[in-house]
Amino acid sequence: MSKKVEKPKNKNAFKDVMKMAVEVADRVQLEEVRFVGDKCELISFPSTKQNRFETTAMTDFNADRNENILFVLVHFGLDAVDKSDKPLAKIQADMLLLYHIENLEGLTDEHFKHFADKNAVFNAWPYWREFVQSATARMQLPPLTLPTYRFGMNLPEKSTISGAKKAILATKKGTAKKRPGRRRPRREQLTSNTKRPSSTNQ
């Protein structure tokens, strides 16, 4: 399971990370974006407009060197709390991105890991933004428009806002209703079953 890459502590290391991501980006074409799972949970209605939220992201990948296909699974999460850090809502979505790779020569798993964490999250962001906006509206919450995602940004894997952490601690202590926590993308979602449909006419 590939882990989200933390931002390197020095500029040279960060440049190396971005260089490897770009090496993959220069050789791929995004062919499909699939929603493979989602979850929306309304915990409580906000009493004021002074609310805040945090988005998290985790990635996993699988490179099929026989078919020249790169699968990247991006798991997005969003936690919303009010001004007193009371949890309001949780939204999650798993998106599978399929890329065709023109040439795999010289590309390693480290290249693909950095590409997944940088480029794939960037490519999936517009779909995540639209999903969050429509999901919050359907939960009768004020529609939420996520900010622009800047290429190369690092999103946390787990929520750091105190309201979300309190809810997790309460669940562990048995003082709150048990709620599914953040999960990493499942490796079985990146198997051959997720390959592109045959182009043969039906």
Side-chain angles (χ1 to χ4, degrees):
M1 187 70 67
S2 61
K3 295 184 178 180
K4 183 130 185 88
V5 180
E6 295 182 359
K7 186 174 181 179
K9 296 182 179 180
N10 60 74
K11 292 183 178 180
N12 289 334
F14 181 71
K15 288 181 179 179
D16 290 340
V17 167
M18 297 305 296
K19 181 180 178 181
M20 284 188 281
V22 170
E23 285 181 25
V24 180
D26 287 342
R27 307 186 196 183
V28 300
Q29 290 292 334
L30 177 61
E31 296 196 345
E32 294 183 18
V33 178
R34 303 178 186 177
F35 271 75
V36 294
D38 61 77
K39 178 179 175 62
C40 300
E41 183 178 10
L42 177 62
I43 301 172
S44 61
F45 285 100
S47 57
T48 69
K49 294 183 178 180
Q50 297 178 346
N51 309 306
R52 58 197 182 98
F53 66 91
E54 182 177 49
T55 291
T56 58
M58 293 183 288
T59 64
D60 198 5
F61 68 88
N62 183 28
D64 187 331
R65 294 180 178 272
N66 295 321
E67 298 289 339
N68 279 40
I69 300 175
L70 175 64
F71 302 95
V72 179
L73 188 66
V74 182
H75 175 73
F76 285 113
L78 181 143
D79 289 290
V81 299
D82 65 13
K83 63 179 181 179
S84 63
D85 283 342
K86 179 181 179 181
L88 299 176
K90 287 179 176 289
I91 301 174
Q92 299 177 357
D94 290 334
M95 300 182 194
L96 181 63
L97 286 73
L98 279 69
Y99 298 88
H100 174 72
I101 312 175
E102 297 177 358
N103 180 8
L104 287 161
E105 184 178 357
L107 298 181
T108 66
D109 281 352
E110 188 173 8
H111 284 84
F112 296 132
K113 178 173 64 175
H114 294 312
F115 173 84
D117 288 337
K118 304 300 182 185
N119 297 72
V121 174
F122 179 78
N123 294 153
W125 188 260
Y127 301 90
W128 168 238
R129 174 192 281 171
E130 187 280 330
F131 178 72
V132 169
Q133 187 171 27
S134 62
T136 50
R138 291 177 181 180
M139 288 191 287
Q140 297 185 4
L141 294 171
L144 176 61
T145 300
L146 296 181
T148 300
Y149 179 87
R150 305 296 182 187
F151 181 75
M153 286 175 56
N154 282 340
L155 296 175
E157 284 192 353
K158 296 182 179 180
S159 180
T160 60
I161 57 179
S162 57
K165 291 191 290 185
K166 288 178 182 177
I168 294 173
L169 291 174
T171 300
K172 290 182 178 180
K173 294 178 181 179
T175 59
K177 183 178 179 181
K178 187 176 182 180
R179 305 182 188 279
R182 271 297 180 265
R183 67 187 188 284
R184 288 189 174 277
R186 300 190 301 274
R187 171 63 69 174
E188 57 266 26
Q189 290 182 281
L190 299 174
T191 63
S192 58
N193 292 331
T194 62
K195 289 183 179 180
R196 296 174 295 175
S198 173
S199 59
T200 304
N201 294 329
Q202 298 295 326

